[in-house]
Amino acid sequence: MSRLAEIRNTAQEIAEAITAVLSIDVEIVDEELAIVAGTGRYKGKIGEKEEEGNLDSEYTYGQVLRTGEEYIIEDAYSHPEYAARENELAEVCCPIRLHGEIIGLIGLVAFTEQQRHVLLLNRENLLAFSRQMAILLASKVSEAKMASELKIIIETIREGLIAVDRYGNITTCNETAAKLIGTTKEEVIGKSIFATLPSSSIREVLRTGEEYRDQEEIYQTDTGSTFHFFSTILPIFSKTLKATSNNQHKEIVGAVISLRDIADIKKLVYDMTEKEEGTSFHEILGTSKAIREIKDQAGKVARSQSTVLITGESGTGKGLFARSIHYVSDRKEHPFVTVNCGAIPDTLLESELFGYEPGAFTGANRTGKVGKFELANGGTLFLDEIGDLSFHLQVKLLHVLQHREIERIGGKRTLPIDVRIIAATHRNLEQMMKAGEFREDLYFRLHVIPLHIPSLRERKEDILPLLDYALRKYTQIIDKNIYGFTEEALNCLKSYDWPGNIRELENAVEYAVNMEIGESITLDALPKRLRQAQRPLPSSLSLKEQLEVVEREIIQSQLAQTGYSLQGKRDAARLLGISESTLYRRIRELRIETQQVIKNDN
């Protein structure tokens, strides 16, 4: 019998404790490749041998036992030395040493994509954790005191851990758990869990022996404190069977509660799905007086907690300013979350912003959903195209700004939030207020610090550095050797009005880089709309024809700013001082393309 096999029961308890805390399957293998302990799929394979017991094989376990090297397998299917026979996706593996001799190994294995994400995100911590557990197993083999070692390991775990006996009395509590529930270990150990967490589902777990995994829990104390975390409760069974009148079953002797701070969970979701590189005002190009003044103004308000409203035409860089404000503020270590209010249907936008409880509506996720406000807690929420927000959501946003709390769809409790709001729009909110399309009280809540981003035609001296930047960017992306612009092309680019601003400029340069076959961008490589804007009207055209050419350019320029959607055309008609029916009639008569111009240049 191998040395690890002699402590099979202890090894199994350790494996189950690791799984209870980390929610990852565990396999403990001895020096003969026999599985001595395991959880999940490995529990039924205890006693079987991995890699057919061939210690000389080139597979990973054989190599670990021969070389003593630890490893992290990120993709089990594509790894040439990993025998993925149980649909394993990833693994962290560490040898178990005793006095310099390798006596086995411990593997933390991911079978689902969620487990794989967690494993890879925390690979170094899990590897360090595996080393500690390997040391723990080795110390038990050499009859060291495992209890004291286990306490050290438990205290190094990031999750809160509480163990209770069959009556619900707390027997173990690590420092993390004590902080999460607002107490100390000394105060809580020996007390009833039902008094500490009165709404916890542990009573049901102790009664039925059924697991309770990853459930959101919110507790509010008499002092007004709120505890918000995810909880997993696993029952602990006795080693012997207990007889009943009809059959035999394992007796429940206690339970283990794993607590994870909701803030850590949200940060993990944010890091995995939305986090982008930080931005500073240095990355906003331009040396004109207009851009220097607005950058200086934005820098001054960045460290404030006040709401910011950024206005300006489409394509001027409102989102870049919002991101820069966040990343030089005191909230820079917390999430920056963006929601485009004009890109999401109103029926979905409410759940996107506020989240929902399980079963809140037909088709809702059975576990509920965390909204963007919660995801951005502690950081900044950027509400782009705020002018497209419906009246219903304007009322809900106003409530958030006034009371700093939200309520999920289908929920009955309010959640306090600490979020700075930065809003942006290309629409004229003051005109919308007068037209009854935007709430006056919400406007003044948002308009605490107004920032107006100048259009590109208001800072034409910035066109050259923006062109140089765009050329370097797209020649690198497209892998072309183009080093500048011809004088004719440059004159065309500098004199153009850029109704689509910086976004249109970058698109025009990207188009030209694709079209150009030489080492300099020529006039012929530029988009057709830019070239046509430079051509003088032929003298052979009648006055009516010349007016139609000018009118077509004016309408096209306005649509480029407001957009080609129904709302964009409605805004264009208002800004041009004509009715919607007149605008649609002139679009037909002048044969104006109503798709985005950028897509119709070739």
Side-chain angles (χ1 to χ4, degrees):
M1 181 180 290
S2 68
R3 284 165 285 187
L4 280 173
E6 293 176 355
I7 59 161
R8 189 187 305 275
N9 291 338
T10 300
Q12 183 63 30
E13 290 174 0
I14 292 173
E16 289 176 354
I18 296 172
T19 296
V21 173
L22 302 179
S23 296
I24 293 177
D25 286 349
V26 179
E27 181 179 26
I28 298 174
V29 176
D30 68 13
E31 57 202 324
E32 299 170 359
L33 289 172
I35 302 173
V36 297
T39 61
R41 304 186 189 192
Y42 299 112
K43 192 168 185 178
K45 296 180 63 179
I46 293 174
E48 298 179 13
K49 290 195 174 183
E50 291 285 12
E51 300 174 3
E52 298 178 351
N54 183 6
L55 293 171
D56 297 321
S57 74
E58 292 304 311
Y59 290 121
T60 47
Y61 279 10
Q63 291 189 44
V64 171
L65 293 177
R66 292 197 305 272
T67 66
E69 293 181 359
E70 57 196 23
Y71 66 82
I72 299 173
I73 298 292
E74 298 185 358
D75 187 349
Y77 285 111
S78 62
H79 197 284
E81 298 169 354
Y82 193 92
R85 299 176 180 176
E86 296 289 335
N87 295 319
E88 302 95 332
L89 298 180
E91 180 171 353
V92 168
C93 183
C94 180
I96 302 170
R97 301 175 186 272
L98 180 63
H99 306 310
E101 182 182 359
I102 301 167
I103 64 169
L105 58 86
I106 181 171
L108 308 183
V109 187
F111 286 96
T112 67
E113 282 298 332
Q114 181 182 1
Q115 289 178 331
R116 182 172 179 268
H117 278 305
V118 173
L119 188 147
L120 296 182
L121 193 65
N122 299 282
R123 65 187 78 184
E124 296 302 329
N125 289 336
L126 290 179
L127 193 56
F129 179 72
S130 297
R131 294 188 197 112
Q132 292 294 322
M133 298 311 293
I135 293 171
L136 177 60
L137 285 162
S139 67
K140 185 60 181 178
V141 170
S142 62
E143 296 187 358
K145 292 183 179 181
M146 189 181 66
S148 60
E149 295 287 338
L150 184 57
K151 288 181 181 178
I152 295 173
I153 299 300
I154 289 173
E155 287 300 335
T156 63
I157 295 171
R158 191 171 184 177
E159 287 80 8
L161 191 67
I162 299 174
V164 301
D165 62 20
R166 71 184 72 194
Y167 306 109
N169 298 317
I170 299 173
T171 58
T172 302
C173 176
N174 68 358
E175 195 68 41
T176 303
K179 288 180 179 178
L180 281 174
I181 59 178
T183 185
T184 64
K185 291 192 299 181
E186 292 73 21
E187 289 179 348
V188 78
I189 291 177
K191 291 186 177 179
S192 171
I193 191 68
F194 308 126
T196 307
L197 300 176
S199 302
S200 174
S201 298
I202 193 167
R203 189 188 302 274
E204 191 68 11
V205 173
L206 289 172
R207 186 181 69 82
T208 65
E210 294 182 1
E211 298 178 352
Y212 175 90
R213 288 186 177 273
D214 294 326
Q215 297 297 313
E216 184 179 12
E217 308 220 11
I218 300 176
Y219 297 102
Q220 291 182 324
T221 65
D222 296 337
T223 61
S225 299
T226 301
F227 305 135
H228 196 176
F229 43 75
F230 273 90
S231 172
T232 292
I233 307 174
L234 301 177
I236 302 173
F237 297 97
S238 65
K239 298 177 184 178
T240 58
L241 295 177
K242 179 181 179 181
T244 65
S245 57
N246 298 320
N247 55 15
Q248 290 183 328
H249 68 275
K250 286 188 177 180
E251 184 181 9
I252 301 168
V253 295
V256 175
I257 309 173
S258 172
L259 305 176
R260 289 180 289 172
D261 190 352
I262 191 70
D264 287 344
I265 299 296
K266 291 174 183 175
K267 186 176 185 305
L268 176 62
V269 172
Y270 170 73
D271 288 342
M272 291 173 60
T273 60
E274 301 199 25
K275 188 173 184 179
E276 300 178 20
E277 291 298 320
T279 305
S280 71
F281 292 112
H282 298 296
E283 297 175 50
I284 300 176
L285 301 179
T287 57
S288 64
K289 181 180 179 183
I291 200 66
R292 282 189 284 110
E293 286 180 350
I294 194 65
K295 284 169 66 174
D296 181 63
Q297 186 181 358
K300 288 178 180 177
V301 304
R303 284 181 166 74
S304 165
Q305 302 301 315
S306 300
T307 303
V308 179
L309 178 62
I310 305 176
T311 57
E313 296 177 5
S314 294
T316 50
K318 298 186 290 294
L320 190 60
F321 268 90
R323 190 176 295 278
S324 298
I325 289 171
H326 170 78
Y327 281 105
V328 299
S329 75
D330 296 335
R331 295 174 176 264
K332 62 186 176 182
E333 299 301 327
H334 297 281
F336 175 84
V337 178
T338 298
V339 177
N340 189 318
C341 301
I344 305 173
D346 187 58
T347 52
L348 298 179
L349 184 56
E350 184 173 5
S351 64
E352 190 72 13
L353 287 171
F354 298 97
Y356 55 80
E357 295 289 353
F361 50 84
T362 303
N365 190 306
R366 63 182 181 84
T367 60
K369 178 181 178 180
V370 174
K372 299 296 187 183
F373 273 107
E374 290 182 72
L375 191 59
N377 201 31
T380 302
L381 181 62
F382 175 45
L383 298 176
D384 200 7
E385 301 301 347
I386 192 72
D388 293 335
L389 207 61
S390 70
F391 245 73
H392 167 66
L393 291 180
Q394 288 179 34
V395 173
K396 295 200 70 169
L397 176 58
L398 180 63
H399 178 87
V400 175
L401 291 171
Q402 289 175 332
H403 301 286
R404 297 292 166 179
E405 63 183 22
I406 65 164
E407 186 175 298
R408 292 181 183 171
I409 298 173
K412 297 181 180 179
R413 61 191 178 213
T414 57
L415 302 174
I417 59 159
D418 172 24
V419 173
R420 185 185 193 180
I421 300 293
I422 300 179
T425 182
H426 70 278
R427 303 176 67 181
N428 189 321
L429 296 185
E430 292 186 4
Q431 286 188 5
M432 291 180 66
M433 278 196 304
K434 294 175 182 177
E437 297 173 348
F438 201 86
R439 291 183 63 97
E440 183 175 347
D441 46 7
L442 176 59
Y443 173 77
F444 288 113
R445 281 282 181 179
L446 295 172
H447 199 258
V448 178
I449 299 176
L451 296 176
H452 180 74
I453 313 302
S455 65
L456 196 51
R457 62 183 171 277
E458 296 176 86
R459 52 182 185 111
K460 287 207 166 186
E461 56 265 56
D462 291 332
I463 290 177
L464 277 179
L466 288 168
L467 287 171
D468 289 339
Y469 167 80
L471 183 62
R472 289 195 304 272
K473 174 181 176 180
Y474 289 110
T475 51
Q476 190 173 31
I477 291 173
I478 301 172
D479 193 22
K480 278 193 171 182
N481 296 320
I482 300 176
Y483 303 103
F485 302 85
T486 65
E487 185 175 353
E488 191 179 20
L490 206 54
N491 288 335
C492 175
L493 292 163
K494 290 193 308 186
S495 60
Y496 183 63
D497 266 351
W498 299 111
N501 293 292
I502 300 169
R503 184 182 297 121
E504 185 186 11
L505 181 146
E506 288 208 349
N507 286 342
V509 174
E510 182 180 5
Y511 175 90
V513 171
N514 276 285
M515 296 296 108
E516 185 56 63
I517 59 174
E519 293 187 346
S520 295
I521 300 294
T522 60
L523 183 63
D524 289 339
L526 297 179
K528 185 165 61 177
R529 71 182 182 284
L530 271 70
R531 301 196 306 271
Q532 288 178 336
Q534 301 306 113
R535 295 175 184 168
L537 297 174
S539 57
S540 60
L541 295 179
S542 67
L543 176 60
K544 179 183 177 183
E545 289 171 331
Q546 292 185 52
L547 289 173
E548 286 180 344
V549 171
V550 174
E551 185 180 0
R552 181 184 294 108
E553 291 179 355
I554 291 172
I555 293 175
Q556 286 176 333
S557 176
Q558 190 64 67
L559 287 171
Q561 295 178 43
T562 60
Y564 297 85
S565 64
L566 292 176
Q567 183 61 52
K569 291 171 185 172
R570 189 176 296 127
D571 291 342
R574 187 180 71 250
L575 293 169
L576 290 170
I578 60 177
S579 67
E580 290 180 47
S581 60
T582 299
L583 175 64
Y584 278 97
R585 177 171 55 80
R586 295 307 288 159
I587 286 174
R588 288 194 305 272
E589 293 172 349
L590 297 172
R591 296 180 181 178
I592 295 172
E593 290 288 339
T594 56
Q595 301 298 317
Q596 290 192 22
V597 179
I598 296 300
K599 297 181 179 178
N600 293 278
D601 275 332
N602 39 8

